[in-house]
PDB file of all heavy atoms in Angstrom:
ATOM      1  N   GLU A  52      -8.580  -4.637  -8.545  1.00 97.00           N
ATOM      2  CA  GLU A  52      -8.340  -6.042  -8.078  1.00 97.00           C
ATOM      3  C   GLU A  52      -7.477  -6.131  -6.821  1.00 97.00           C
ATOM      4  O   GLU A  52      -7.393  -7.090  -6.184  1.00 97.00           O
ATOM      5  CB  GLU A  52      -7.673  -6.934  -9.149  1.00 97.00           C
ATOM      6  CG  GLU A  52      -8.581  -7.189 -10.369  1.00 97.00           C
ATOM      7  CD  GLU A  52      -7.809  -8.145 -11.339  1.00 97.00           C
ATOM      8  OE1 GLU A  52      -7.241  -9.158 -10.902  1.00 97.00           O
ATOM      9  OE2 GLU A  52      -7.807  -7.680 -12.568  1.00 97.00           O
ATOM     10  N   MET A  53      -6.745  -5.078  -6.517  1.00 97.00           N
ATOM     11  CA  MET A  53      -5.770  -5.028  -5.384  1.00 97.00           C
ATOM     12  C   MET A  53      -6.433  -4.813  -4.094  1.00 97.00           C
ATOM     13  O   MET A  53      -6.297  -3.805  -3.362  1.00 97.00           O
ATOM     14  CB  MET A  53      -4.686  -4.007  -5.707  1.00 97.00           C
ATOM     15  CG  MET A  53      -3.819  -4.328  -7.045  1.00 97.00           C
ATOM     16  SD  MET A  53      -2.651  -3.053  -7.264  1.00 97.00           S
ATOM     17  CE  MET A  53      -2.145  -3.555  -8.972  1.00 97.00           C
ATOM     18  N   LYS A  54      -7.223  -5.727  -3.691  1.00 97.00           N
ATOM     19  CA  LYS A  54      -8.037  -5.666  -2.504  1.00 97.00           C
ATOM     20  C   LYS A  54      -7.197  -5.657  -1.235  1.00 97.00           C
ATOM     21  O   LYS A  54      -7.524  -4.901  -0.270  1.00 97.00           O
ATOM     22  CB  LYS A  54      -9.136  -6.760  -2.370  1.00 97.00           C
ATOM     23  CG  LYS A  54     -10.018  -6.775  -3.533  1.00 97.00           C
ATOM     24  CD  LYS A  54     -10.862  -5.516  -3.719  1.00 97.00           C
ATOM     25  CE  LYS A  54     -11.923  -5.580  -4.817  1.00 97.00           C
ATOM     26  NZ  LYS A  54     -12.522  -4.318  -5.062  1.00 97.00           N
ATOM     27  N   PHE A  55      -6.262  -6.479  -1.147  1.00 98.00           N
ATOM     28  CA  PHE A  55      -5.346  -6.552   0.122  1.00 98.00           C
ATOM     29  C   PHE A  55      -4.547  -5.303   0.259  1.00 98.00           C
ATOM     30  O   PHE A  55      -4.489  -4.626   1.318  1.00 98.00           O
ATOM     31  CB  PHE A  55      -4.472  -7.730   0.098  1.00 98.00           C
ATOM     32  CG  PHE A  55      -3.639  -7.924   1.427  1.00 98.00           C
ATOM     33  CD1 PHE A  55      -4.351  -8.240   2.556  1.00 98.00           C
ATOM     34  CD2 PHE A  55      -2.344  -7.616   1.363  1.00 98.00           C
ATOM     35  CE1 PHE A  55      -3.621  -8.308   3.759  1.00 98.00           C
ATOM     36  CE2 PHE A  55      -1.585  -7.538   2.604  1.00 98.00           C
ATOM     37  CZ  PHE A  55      -2.277  -8.041   3.723  1.00 98.00           C
ATOM     38  N   LEU A  56      -3.995  -4.783  -0.838  1.00 98.00           N
ATOM     39  CA  LEU A  56      -3.287  -3.482  -0.815  1.00 98.00           C
ATOM     40  C   LEU A  56      -4.222  -2.377  -0.392  1.00 98.00           C
ATOM     41  O   LEU A  56      -3.913  -1.492   0.486  1.00 98.00           O
ATOM     42  CB  LEU A  56      -2.733  -3.095  -2.249  1.00 98.00           C
ATOM     43  CG  LEU A  56      -2.139  -1.763  -2.327  1.00 98.00           C
ATOM     44  CD1 LEU A  56      -0.860  -1.630  -1.367  1.00 98.00           C
ATOM     45  CD2 LEU A  56      -1.601  -1.585  -3.816  1.00 98.00           C
ATOM     46  N   GLU A  57      -5.413  -2.260  -0.839  1.00 97.00           N
ATOM     47  CA  GLU A  57      -6.418  -1.291  -0.376  1.00 97.00           C
ATOM     48  C   GLU A  57      -6.668  -1.372   1.105  1.00 97.00           C
ATOM     49  O   GLU A  57      -6.650  -0.399   1.824  1.00 97.00           O
ATOM     50  CB  GLU A  57      -7.796  -1.456  -1.216  1.00 97.00           C
ATOM     51  CG  GLU A  57      -8.822  -0.459  -0.734  1.00 97.00           C
ATOM     52  CD  GLU A  57     -10.134  -0.695  -1.457  1.00 97.00           C
ATOM     53  OE1 GLU A  57     -10.294  -1.539  -2.331  1.00 97.00           O
ATOM     54  OE2 GLU A  57     -11.060   0.109  -1.191  1.00 97.00           O
ATOM     55  N   ARG A  58      -6.848  -2.619   1.519  1.00 98.00           N
ATOM     56  CA  ARG A  58      -7.161  -2.725   3.020  1.00 98.00           C
ATOM     57  C   ARG A  58      -5.952  -2.305   3.826  1.00 98.00           C
ATOM     58  O   ARG A  58      -6.021  -1.722   4.955  1.00 98.00           O
ATOM     59  CB  ARG A  58      -7.519  -4.217   3.390  1.00 98.00           C
ATOM     60  CG  ARG A  58      -8.805  -4.581   2.711  1.00 98.00           C
ATOM     61  CD  ARG A  58      -9.405  -5.847   3.305  1.00 98.00           C
ATOM     62  NE  ARG A  58      -8.489  -6.922   3.679  1.00 98.00           N
ATOM     63  CZ  ARG A  58      -8.149  -7.927   2.806  1.00 98.00           C
ATOM     64  NH1 ARG A  58      -8.673  -8.077   1.622  1.00 98.00           N
ATOM     65  NH2 ARG A  58      -7.371  -8.905   3.293  1.00 98.00           N
ATOM     66  N   CYS A  59      -4.703  -2.605   3.355  1.00 98.00           N
ATOM     67  CA  CYS A  59      -3.454  -2.090   4.120  1.00 98.00           C
ATOM     68  C   CYS A  59      -3.417  -0.540   4.110  1.00 98.00           C
ATOM     69  O   CYS A  59      -3.112  -0.015   5.114  1.00 98.00           O
ATOM     70  CB  CYS A  59      -2.290  -2.758   3.410  1.00 98.00           C
ATOM     71  SG  CYS A  59      -2.049  -4.463   3.737  1.00 98.00           S
ATOM     72  N   ILE A  60      -3.742   0.041   3.014  1.00 97.00           N
ATOM     73  CA  ILE A  60      -3.692   1.559   2.931  1.00 97.00           C
ATOM     74  C   ILE A  60      -4.701   2.019   3.871  1.00 97.00           C
ATOM     75  O   ILE A  60      -4.381   2.971   4.661  1.00 97.00           O
ATOM     76  CB  ILE A  60      -3.903   2.062   1.502  1.00 97.00           C
ATOM     77  CG1 ILE A  60      -2.760   1.622   0.593  1.00 97.00           C
ATOM     78  CG2 ILE A  60      -4.208   3.480   1.499  1.00 97.00           C
ATOM     79  CD1 ILE A  60      -2.951   1.875  -0.811  1.00 97.00           C
ATOM     80  N   LYS A  61      -5.920   1.464   3.939  1.00 97.00           N
ATOM     81  CA  LYS A  61      -6.946   1.990   4.905  1.00 97.00           C
ATOM     82  C   LYS A  61      -6.516   1.747   6.309  1.00 97.00           C
ATOM     83  O   LYS A  61      -6.778   2.712   7.133  1.00 97.00           O
ATOM     84  CB  LYS A  61      -8.201   1.238   4.593  1.00 97.00           C
ATOM     85  CG  LYS A  61      -8.971   1.771   3.356  1.00 97.00           C
ATOM     86  CD  LYS A  61     -10.200   1.101   3.131  1.00 97.00           C
ATOM     87  CE  LYS A  61     -10.918   1.650   1.807  1.00 97.00           C
ATOM     88  NZ  LYS A  61     -12.163   1.070   1.593  1.00 97.00           N
ATOM     89  N   GLU A  62      -5.865   0.700   6.592  1.00 98.00           N
ATOM     90  CA  GLU A  62      -5.457   0.439   7.989  1.00 98.00           C
ATOM     91  C   GLU A  62      -4.346   1.355   8.304  1.00 98.00           C
ATOM     92  O   GLU A  62      -4.248   1.908   9.439  1.00 98.00           O
ATOM     93  CB  GLU A  62      -4.944  -0.934   8.090  1.00 98.00           C
ATOM     94  CG  GLU A  62      -4.481  -1.363   9.489  1.00 98.00           C
ATOM     95  CD  GLU A  62      -5.585  -1.359  10.682  1.00 98.00           C
ATOM     96  OE1 GLU A  62      -6.642  -0.840  10.392  1.00 98.00           O
ATOM     97  OE2 GLU A  62      -5.290  -1.878  11.695  1.00 98.00           O
ATOM     98  N   CYS A  63      -3.458   1.760   7.428  1.00 97.00           N
ATOM     99  CA  CYS A  63      -2.403   2.799   7.709  1.00 97.00           C
ATOM    100  C   CYS A  63      -3.032   4.094   7.964  1.00 97.00           C
ATOM    101  O   CYS A  63      -2.586   4.804   8.842  1.00 97.00           O
ATOM    102  CB  CYS A  63      -1.416   2.860   6.522  1.00 97.00           C
ATOM    103  SG  CYS A  63      -0.335   1.500   6.227  1.00 97.00           S
ATOM    104  N   LEU A  64      -3.972   4.441   7.175  1.00 96.00           N
ATOM    105  CA  LEU A  64      -4.689   5.785   7.425  1.00 96.00           C
ATOM    106  C   LEU A  64      -5.571   5.751   8.722  1.00 96.00           C
ATOM    107  O   LEU A  64      -5.779   6.770   9.279  1.00 96.00           O
ATOM    108  CB  LEU A  64      -5.669   6.077   6.219  1.00 96.00           C
ATOM    109  CG  LEU A  64      -4.888   6.551   5.028  1.00 96.00           C
ATOM    110  CD1 LEU A  64      -5.875   6.555   3.767  1.00 96.00           C
ATOM    111  CD2 LEU A  64      -4.276   7.844   5.113  1.00 96.00           C
ATOM    112  N   ARG A  65      -5.990   4.489   9.109  1.00 97.00           N
ATOM    113  CA  ARG A  65      -6.704   4.495  10.441  1.00 97.00           C
ATOM    114  C   ARG A  65      -5.672   4.811  11.586  1.00 97.00           C
ATOM    115  O   ARG A  65      -5.900   5.669  12.403  1.00 97.00           O
ATOM    116  CB  ARG A  65      -7.273   3.070  10.610  1.00 97.00           C
ATOM    117  CG  ARG A  65      -8.030   3.015  11.912  1.00 97.00           C
ATOM    118  CD  ARG A  65      -8.443   1.607  12.312  1.00 97.00           C
ATOM    119  NE  ARG A  65      -7.334   0.670  12.611  1.00 97.00           N
ATOM    120  CZ  ARG A  65      -6.841   0.610  13.901  1.00 97.00           C
ATOM    121  NH1 ARG A  65      -7.129   1.364  14.821  1.00 97.00           N
ATOM    122  NH2 ARG A  65      -5.742  -0.158  14.003  1.00 97.00           N
ATOM    123  N   LEU A  66      -4.475   4.156  11.537  1.00 97.00           N
ATOM    124  CA  LEU A  66      -3.475   4.360  12.536  1.00 97.00           C
ATOM    125  C   LEU A  66      -2.821   5.768  12.497  1.00 97.00           C
ATOM    126  O   LEU A  66      -2.429   6.343  13.481  1.00 97.00           O
ATOM    127  CB  LEU A  66      -2.490   3.243  12.482  1.00 97.00           C
ATOM    128  CG  LEU A  66      -2.986   1.827  12.946  1.00 97.00           C
ATOM    129  CD1 LEU A  66      -1.928   0.788  12.575  1.00 97.00           C
ATOM    130  CD2 LEU A  66      -3.284   1.852  14.408  1.00 97.00           C
ATOM    131  N   TYR A  67      -2.611   6.261  11.256  1.00 95.00           N
ATOM    132  CA  TYR A  67      -1.995   7.529  11.114  1.00 95.00           C
ATOM    133  C   TYR A  67      -2.702   8.369  10.091  1.00 95.00           C
ATOM    134  O   TYR A  67      -2.296   8.563   8.868  1.00 95.00           O
ATOM    135  CB  TYR A  67      -0.536   7.297  10.631  1.00 95.00           C
ATOM    136  CG  TYR A  67       0.265   6.473  11.569  1.00 95.00           C
ATOM    137  CD1 TYR A  67       0.475   5.116  11.407  1.00 95.00           C
ATOM    138  CD2 TYR A  67       0.677   6.956  12.785  1.00 95.00           C
ATOM    139  CE1 TYR A  67       1.141   4.318  12.347  1.00 95.00           C
ATOM    140  CE2 TYR A  67       1.324   6.262  13.783  1.00 95.00           C
ATOM    141  CZ  TYR A  67       1.586   4.917  13.511  1.00 95.00           C
ATOM    142  OH  TYR A  67       2.258   4.174  14.451  1.00 95.00           O
ATOM    143  N   PRO A  68      -3.894   8.892  10.420  1.00 92.00           N
ATOM    144  CA  PRO A  68      -4.695   9.640   9.513  1.00 92.00           C
ATOM    145  C   PRO A  68      -3.952  10.964   9.007  1.00 92.00           C
ATOM    146  O   PRO A  68      -3.281  11.530   9.798  1.00 92.00           O
ATOM    147  CB  PRO A  68      -5.987  10.064  10.271  1.00 92.00           C
ATOM    148  CG  PRO A  68      -5.482   9.892  11.749  1.00 92.00           C
ATOM    149  CD  PRO A  68      -4.421   8.903  11.806  1.00 92.00           C
ATOM    150  N   SER A  69      -4.109  11.275   7.788  1.00 88.00           N
ATOM    151  CA  SER A  69      -3.497  12.481   7.204  1.00 88.00           C
ATOM    152  C   SER A  69      -4.076  13.734   7.827  1.00 88.00           C
ATOM    153  O   SER A  69      -3.392  14.760   7.833  1.00 88.00           O
ATOM    154  CB  SER A  69      -3.488  12.436   5.657  1.00 88.00           C
ATOM    155  OG  SER A  69      -4.855  12.347   5.249  1.00 88.00           O
ATOM    156  N   VAL A  70      -5.221  13.608   8.292  1.00 84.00           N
ATOM    157  CA  VAL A  70      -5.890  14.721   8.937  1.00 84.00           C
ATOM    158  C   VAL A  70      -6.168  14.247  10.395  1.00 84.00           C
ATOM    159  O   VAL A  70      -7.183  13.578  10.594  1.00 84.00           O
ATOM    160  CB  VAL A  70      -7.254  15.077   8.212  1.00 84.00           C
ATOM    161  CG1 VAL A  70      -7.867  16.234   8.960  1.00 84.00           C
ATOM    162  CG2 VAL A  70      -6.993  15.434   6.796  1.00 84.00           C
ATOM    163  N   PRO A  71      -5.328  14.566  11.379  1.00 87.00           N
ATOM    164  CA  PRO A  71      -5.484  13.912  12.741  1.00 87.00           C
ATOM    165  C   PRO A  71      -6.646  14.568  13.496  1.00 87.00           C
ATOM    166  O   PRO A  71      -7.144  13.962  14.341  1.00 87.00           O
ATOM    167  CB  PRO A  71      -4.203  14.337  13.387  1.00 87.00           C
ATOM    168  CG  PRO A  71      -3.592  15.498  12.617  1.00 87.00           C
ATOM    169  CD  PRO A  71      -4.108  15.333  11.266  1.00 87.00           C
ATOM    170  N   PHE A  72      -7.064  15.839  13.186  1.00 87.00           N
ATOM    171  CA  PHE A  72      -8.329  16.371  13.831  1.00 87.00           C
ATOM    172  C   PHE A  72      -9.007  17.367  12.840  1.00 87.00           C
ATOM    173  O   PHE A  72      -8.403  17.882  12.024  1.00 87.00           O
ATOM    174  CB  PHE A  72      -7.908  17.047  15.220  1.00 87.00           C
ATOM    175  CG  PHE A  72      -7.117  18.255  15.113  1.00 87.00           C
ATOM    176  CD1 PHE A  72      -7.793  19.464  15.007  1.00 87.00           C
ATOM    177  CD2 PHE A  72      -5.787  18.282  15.006  1.00 87.00           C
ATOM    178  CE1 PHE A  72      -7.110  20.656  14.877  1.00 87.00           C
ATOM    179  CE2 PHE A  72      -5.087  19.474  14.911  1.00 87.00           C
ATOM    180  CZ  PHE A  72      -5.758  20.617  14.856  1.00 87.00           C
ATOM    181  N   ILE A  73     -10.290  17.483  13.087  1.00 87.00           N
ATOM    182  CA  ILE A  73     -11.027  18.466  12.275  1.00 87.00           C
ATOM    183  C   ILE A  73     -11.838  19.348  13.249  1.00 87.00           C
ATOM    184  O   ILE A  73     -12.220  18.954  14.384  1.00 87.00           O
ATOM    185  CB  ILE A  73     -11.953  17.774  11.187  1.00 87.00           C
ATOM    186  CG1 ILE A  73     -12.921  16.714  11.981  1.00 87.00           C
ATOM    187  CG2 ILE A  73     -11.174  17.144  10.150  1.00 87.00           C
ATOM    188  CD1 ILE A  73     -13.896  16.029  11.071  1.00 87.00           C
ATOM    189  N   GLY A  74     -12.202  20.509  12.793  1.00 87.00           N
ATOM    190  CA  GLY A  74     -13.075  21.440  13.560  1.00 87.00           C
ATOM    191  C   GLY A  74     -14.294  21.790  12.781  1.00 87.00           C
ATOM    192  O   GLY A  74     -14.342  21.936  11.503  1.00 87.00           O
ATOM    193  N   ARG A  75     -15.346  21.991  13.478  1.00 87.00           N
ATOM    194  CA  ARG A  75     -16.672  22.272  12.872  1.00 87.00           C
ATOM    195  C   ARG A  75     -17.428  23.280  13.886  1.00 87.00           C
ATOM    196  O   ARG A  75     -16.896  23.429  15.015  1.00 87.00           O
ATOM    197  CB  ARG A  75     -17.546  21.095  12.649  1.00 87.00           C
ATOM    198  CG  ARG A  75     -17.097  20.117  11.699  1.00 87.00           C
ATOM    199  CD  ARG A  75     -17.131  20.568  10.205  1.00 87.00           C
ATOM    200  NE  ARG A  75     -16.732  19.596   9.291  1.00 87.00           N
ATOM    201  CZ  ARG A  75     -15.524  19.351   8.811  1.00 87.00           C
ATOM    202  NH1 ARG A  75     -14.509  20.143   9.243  1.00 87.00           N
ATOM    203  NH2 ARG A  75     -15.314  18.459   7.943  1.00 87.00           N
ATOM    204  N   VAL A  76     -18.370  23.959  13.328  1.00 91.00           N
ATOM    205  CA  VAL A  76     -19.264  24.749  14.149  1.00 91.00           C
ATOM    206  C   VAL A  76     -20.645  24.075  14.117  1.00 91.00           C
ATOM    207  O   VAL A  76     -21.127  23.735  13.023  1.00 91.00           O
ATOM    208  CB  VAL A  76     -19.391  26.155  13.589  1.00 91.00           C
ATOM    209  CG1 VAL A  76     -20.395  27.015  14.334  1.00 91.00           C
ATOM    210  CG2 VAL A  76     -18.011  26.896  13.638  1.00 91.00           C
ATOM    211  N   ALA A  77     -21.137  23.793  15.364  1.00 94.00           N
ATOM    212  CA  ALA A  77     -22.493  23.131  15.436  1.00 94.00           C
ATOM    213  C   ALA A  77     -23.581  23.929  14.722  1.00 94.00           C
ATOM    214  O   ALA A  77     -23.758  25.093  15.106  1.00 94.00           O
ATOM    215  CB  ALA A  77     -22.809  22.875  16.824  1.00 94.00           C
ATOM    216  N   GLY A  78     -24.205  23.370  13.754  1.00 94.00           N
ATOM    217  CA  GLY A  78     -25.314  23.991  13.095  1.00 94.00           C
ATOM    218  C   GLY A  78     -26.620  24.006  13.852  1.00 94.00           C
ATOM    219  O   GLY A  78     -27.626  24.655  13.393  1.00 94.00           O
ATOM    220  N   GLU A  79     -26.677  23.204  14.852  1.00 96.00           N
ATOM    221  CA  GLU A  79     -27.975  23.091  15.713  1.00 96.00           C
ATOM    222  C   GLU A  79     -27.513  22.546  17.065  1.00 96.00           C
ATOM    223  O   GLU A  79     -26.377  22.087  17.258  1.00 96.00           O
ATOM    224  CB  GLU A  79     -28.974  22.103  15.051  1.00 96.00           C
ATOM    225  CG  GLU A  79     -28.388  20.720  14.856  1.00 96.00           C
ATOM    226  CD  GLU A  79     -29.317  19.816  14.051  1.00 96.00           C
ATOM    227  OE1 GLU A  79     -29.739  20.172  13.071  1.00 96.00           O
ATOM    228  OE2 GLU A  79     -29.496  18.671  14.510  1.00 96.00           O
ATOM    229  N   ASP A  80     -28.365  22.666  18.068  1.00 97.00           N
ATOM    230  CA  ASP A  80     -28.043  22.074  19.363  1.00 97.00           C
ATOM    231  C   ASP A  80     -27.859  20.618  19.164  1.00 97.00           C
ATOM    232  O   ASP A  80     -28.604  19.851  18.505  1.00 97.00           O
ATOM    233  CB  ASP A  80     -29.201  22.336  20.346  1.00 97.00           C
ATOM    234  CG  ASP A  80     -29.270  23.790  20.835  1.00 97.00           C
ATOM    235  OD1 ASP A  80     -28.425  24.518  20.461  1.00 97.00           O
ATOM    236  OD2 ASP A  80     -30.153  24.079  21.566  1.00 97.00           O
ATOM    237  N   ILE A  81     -26.830  20.043  19.830  1.00 95.00           N
ATOM    238  CA  ILE A  81     -26.543  18.552  19.748  1.00 95.00           C
ATOM    239  C   ILE A  81     -26.668  18.004  21.109  1.00 95.00           C
ATOM    240  O   ILE A  81     -25.952  18.447  22.021  1.00 95.00           O
ATOM    241  CB  ILE A  81     -25.091  18.322  19.170  1.00 95.00           C
ATOM    242  CG1 ILE A  81     -25.022  18.952  17.767  1.00 95.00           C
ATOM    243  CG2 ILE A  81     -24.781  16.850  19.129  1.00 95.00           C
ATOM    244  CD1 ILE A  81     -23.636  19.097  17.336  1.00 95.00           C
ATOM    245  N   LYS A  82     -27.422  17.046  21.342  1.00 95.00           N
ATOM    246  CA  LYS A  82     -27.537  16.334  22.620  1.00 95.00           C
ATOM    247  C   LYS A  82     -26.594  15.085  22.574  1.00 95.00           C
ATOM    248  O   LYS A  82     -26.779  14.207  21.643  1.00 95.00           O
ATOM    249  CB  LYS A  82     -28.947  15.840  22.822  1.00 95.00           C
ATOM    250  CG  LYS A  82     -29.298  15.207  24.079  1.00 95.00           C
ATOM    251  CD  LYS A  82     -29.488  16.279  25.161  1.00 95.00           C
ATOM    252  CE  LYS A  82     -30.237  15.612  26.324  1.00 95.00           C
ATOM    253  NZ  LYS A  82     -30.554  16.606  27.359  1.00 95.00           N
ATOM    254  N   THR A  83     -25.701  14.993  23.408  1.00 91.00           N
ATOM    255  CA  THR A  83     -24.713  13.942  23.457  1.00 91.00           C
ATOM    256  C   THR A  83     -25.261  12.705  24.172  1.00 91.00           C
ATOM    257  O   THR A  83     -26.334  12.813  24.900  1.00 91.00           O
ATOM    258  CB  THR A  83     -23.369  14.347  24.167  1.00 91.00           C
ATOM    259  OG1 THR A  83     -23.675  14.629  25.605  1.00 91.00           O
ATOM    260  CG2 THR A  83     -22.772  15.566  23.535  1.00 91.00           C
ATOM    261  N   SER A  84     -24.614  11.546  23.940  1.00 89.00           N
ATOM    262  CA  SER A  84     -25.094  10.249  24.606  1.00 89.00           C
ATOM    263  C   SER A  84     -25.129  10.405  26.202  1.00 89.00           C
ATOM    264  O   SER A  84     -25.772   9.614  26.789  1.00 89.00           O
ATOM    265  CB  SER A  84     -24.354   9.128  24.087  1.00 89.00           C
ATOM    266  OG  SER A  84     -22.988   9.239  24.423  1.00 89.00           O
TER     267      SER A  84
END
Side-chain angles (χ1 to χ4, degrees):
E52 290 180 50
M53 298 177 188
K54 301 298 184 189
F55 184 71
L56 175 60
E57 178 182 358
R58 294 195 323 265
C59 287
I60 291 169
K61 287 180 176 181
E62 182 67 345
C63 287
L64 287 169
R65 181 188 70 82
L66 289 169
Y67 302 101
S69 57
V70 180
F72 69 92
I73 55 175
R75 298 287 187 268
V76 175
E79 59 187 47
D80 286 355
I81 302 168
K82 186 83 162 183
T83 67
S84 60

